[in-house]
Amino acid sequence: MIQDTPVLIRRLPHAEGLDLPSYETEGSAGCDLRAAVDEDLVLQPGQRALVPTGLQIALAPGTEAQVRPRSGLSSKHGVTVINAPGTVDSDYRGELKVPLVNLGQETFTVTRGMRVAQMVIAPYLRALFEERNEPLPESLRGEGGFGSTGA
Ligand SMILES: O=c1ccn([C@H]2C[C@H](O)[C@@H](COP(=O)(O)OP(=O)(O)OP(=O)(O)O)O2)c(=O)[nH]1
Ligand SMILES: [Mg+2]
């Protein structure tokens, strides 16, 4: 089942001439985000940068956008999204940016229009917190975690 959701998008002057986020295949969950850099952006090993996309979006209420790494960039170059998955709130109207980091051992150059990350739109739930001053409902797992079930 594919559900489409409207996303208003606005291109800022520095994204002039760049393609909008694109789904590369019919079944792609993520649309690729392009770097709206005017000049090459060189990331030395260990260096990070907030890469502009030159785009603003307005998401439908109840939806978020997740900014995720591209597996090709991360597996071939060690370049990833440092806050992955980044969260774009439905009420955010600023420029979409991608906090990239070069965890590889070589210099990596971000060029204009390079597809540096992907964005997945997802519905979210908000918690209605109900504070309890008594033990929470019992469960099989209980307090076990962090490897409690074995390797
Ligand atoms: O990869 C990302 C992550 C976030 N954002 C934008 C959209 C999001 O709505 C806003 C705030 O993100 P977040 O809540 O993760 O950051 P924060 O450090 O908590 O900032 P704030 O105090 O503004 O919420 O920054 C991006 O453009 N790219
Ligand atoms: Mg926040």
Side-chain angles (χ1 to χ4, degrees), residues 7-11 20-21 55-58 119:
V7 177
L8 304 180
I9 192 159
R10 183 162 183 239
R11 210 190 288 254
L20 291 179
L55 300 173
Q56 295 167 308
I57 59 172
M119 181 170 77

Side-chain angles (χ1 to χ4, degrees), residues 67 83 86-89 92 95-97 99:
V67 180
N83 60 327
T87 304
V88 180
D89 301 288
Y92 179 69
E95 180 180 2
L96 278 182
K97 294 185 182 173

